[in-house]
């Protein structure tokens, strides 16, 4: 039980820092965006690490571009979470074989040694961030087909062991983990194994979505991720613009106010909460994040005014 909880211990930010047109003046160079983002938000989710493991040099630049109190929530590489996508399999094959354009057949049977090497490479990449005290959590978001089975529980134990003492958060995308018969066992397992809970606010649209379960499982930190509540678009994966449709949602003030109370109750059981808005396809995430910050009495400044060019 955390007796000294305060809403000041809630950090609010966005998934990624590259898009978000309302966050930057027009024509802001990509290399300047993270520093400018960090003037307005205290935390960010790193999404590109899901597709490829960055170099330690790139991670060091992110560390250098942000103030001392800034934090990163980093998505685990897709090869570490079993996403069976062709691009992901090729990225993993490249990492494990060292070939520039490997065949996906190289992944037909990943050995334990190769799996360990992949996890070690990921940990090493983010060592500069960990040393700087800016690595809030590494987010393991498992795919929608990762259901609650004995084999998958073993997979989680193996992943946690391979991450050693790195801070790790866990997000499920198959609702079986929170079915009535498994909910308490899932939360107890996460607490016992040292997983932070990544709590989701998302549409309730069948097996591919999970309910809001605002229960911390780690005394130090909890993650909350807002995916929007677009029920109709949640399973639009067959359309060419499905990502844009899936996360197209603008939270109302009433919905955000409900979360103020939820966050306060959660802080009785966890020291800090990082809130990430992922409803960015329509540009609503930044506005929603700033409205929630206002409701919590937080302010981190605004982007600098756009400079008038003489040429």
């Amino acid at each position: 039980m955390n007796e000294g909880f305060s809403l000041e211990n809630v950090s609010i930010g966005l998934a990624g820092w590259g898009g978000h047109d309302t966050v930057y003046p027009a024509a802001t160079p990509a290399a300047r965006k993270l520093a400018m983002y960090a003037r307005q938000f205290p935390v960010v989710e790193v999404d590109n690490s899901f597709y490829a493991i960055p170099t330690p040099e790139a991670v060091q630049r992110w560390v250098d571009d942000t103030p001392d109190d800034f934090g990163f929530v980093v998505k685990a590489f897709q090869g570490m979470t079993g996403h069976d996508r062709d691009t992901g399999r090729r990225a993993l094959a490249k990492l494990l074989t060292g070939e520039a354009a490997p065949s996906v057949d190289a992944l037909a049977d990943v050995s334990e040694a190769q799996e360990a090497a992949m996890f070690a490479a990921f940990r090493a990449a983010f060592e500069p961030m960990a040393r700087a005290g800016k690595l809030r959590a590494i987010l393991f978001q498992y795919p929608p087909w990762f259901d609650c089975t004995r084999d998958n529980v073993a997979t989680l134990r193996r992943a946690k062991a391979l991450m050693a003492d790195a801070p790790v958060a866990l997000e499920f995308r198959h609702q079986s983990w929170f079915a009535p018969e498994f909910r308490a066992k899932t939360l107890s397992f996460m607490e016992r194994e040292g997983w932070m809970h990544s709590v989701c606010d998302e549409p309730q649209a069948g097996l591919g979505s999970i309910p809001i379960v605002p229960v911390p499982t780690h005394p130090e930190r909890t993650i909350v991720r807002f995916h929007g509540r677009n029920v109709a678009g949640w399973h639009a994966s067959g359309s060419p613009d499905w990502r844009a449709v899936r996360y197209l949602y603008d939270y109302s003030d009433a919905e955000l106010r409900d979360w103020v109370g939820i966050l306060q109750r959660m802080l009785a059981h966890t020291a800090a909460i990082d809130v990430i808005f992922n409803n960015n396809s329509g540009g609503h995430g930044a506005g929603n994040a700033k409205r929630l910050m206002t409701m919590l009495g937080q302010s981190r400044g605004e982007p600098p005014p756009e400079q008038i060019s003489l040429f």
Side-chain angles (χ1 to χ4, degrees):
M1 178 71 72
N2 177 18
E3 299 293 346
F5 64 89
S6 167
L7 287 172
E8 294 179 355
N9 295 334
V10 177
S11 299
I12 300 171
L14 308 176
W17 64 81
H20 313 306
D21 291 343
T22 61
V23 175
Y24 315 106
T28 299
R32 288 282 303 133
K33 286 188 173 181
L34 178 56
M36 196 171 294
Y37 171 98
R39 293 179 55 170
Q40 301 169 68
F41 301 99
V43 66
V44 73
E45 179 180 290
V46 179
D47 290 332
N48 56 16
S49 54
F50 176 78
Y51 300 100
I53 299 176
T55 64
E57 292 76 18
V59 174
Q60 185 64 59
R61 287 194 295 272
W62 301 340
V63 170
D64 294 341
D65 282 348
T66 52
D68 292 344
D69 65 346
F70 191 82
F72 295 85
V73 175
V74 178
K75 288 188 79 170
F77 174 54
Q78 59 187 337
M80 298 157 63
T81 52
H83 285 75
D84 190 21
R85 300 177 180 176
D86 186 61
T87 54
R89 293 172 70 207
R90 289 189 185 279
L92 178 53
K94 179 179 179 180
L95 172 69
L96 297 179
T97 66
E99 299 175 13
S103 166
V104 293
D105 293 339
L107 284 180
D109 186 18
V110 176
S111 69
E112 290 186 7
Q114 288 175 320
E115 182 183 47
M118 172 176 54
F119 275 73
F122 191 92
R123 293 200 318 270
F126 286 95
E127 181 57 29
M129 190 177 287
R131 283 198 309 268
K134 295 184 179 184
L135 178 59
R136 300 281 179 86
I138 297 169
L139 174 63
F140 281 71
Q141 184 190 55
Y142 283 87
W145 56 86
F146 189 83
D147 56 351
C148 186
T149 66
R150 188 179 301 275
D151 286 346
N152 285 339
V153 169
T155 296
L156 295 177
R157 284 200 172 98
R158 188 167 64 251
K160 182 66 174 66
L162 288 169
M163 292 306 294
D165 59 352
V168 289
L170 181 56
E171 178 173 317
F172 295 112
R173 298 174 69 194
H174 194 286
Q175 64 180 223
S176 61
W177 295 93
F178 294 119
E181 64 270 30
F182 293 127
R183 183 182 189 274
K185 293 179 180 179
T186 294
L187 294 169
S188 177
F189 166 80
M190 293 171 67
E191 183 174 2
R192 189 171 60 250
E193 297 287 323
W195 289 98
M196 301 175 195
H197 188 188
S198 176
V199 179
C200 295
D201 183 305
E202 65 187 39
Q204 297 306 292
L207 291 176
S209 58
I210 59 172
I212 297 174
V213 183
V215 180
T217 58
H218 198 285
E220 294 181 10
R221 190 171 302 278
T222 301
I223 311 298
V224 174
R225 300 179 75 236
F226 285 85
H227 297 305
R229 299 179 180 180
N230 185 354
V231 176
W234 192 245
H235 295 305
S237 57
S239 63
D241 59 345
W242 71 274
R243 289 184 184 277
V245 174
R246 183 179 176 91
Y247 300 110
L248 184 61
Y249 192 79
D250 187 7
Y251 283 91
S252 69
D253 283 352
E255 290 168 334
L256 295 176
R257 277 193 296 269
D258 285 344
W259 266 101
V260 173
I262 294 171
L263 293 170
Q264 191 159 22
R265 291 190 291 274
M266 289 172 64
L267 282 169
H269 304 280
T270 191
I273 300 175
D274 291 321
V275 176
I276 301 295
F277 280 85
N278 190 39
N279 57 323
N280 296 314
S281 58
H284 300 119
N288 289 170
K290 290 189 175 184
R291 294 213 314 275
L292 184 58
M293 291 172 72
T294 298
M295 291 177 185
L296 269 56
Q298 299 179 357
S299 175
R300 198 177 174 87
E302 295 295 329
E306 187 172 355
Q307 298 296 314
I308 299 174
S309 173
L310 297 179
F311 301 96

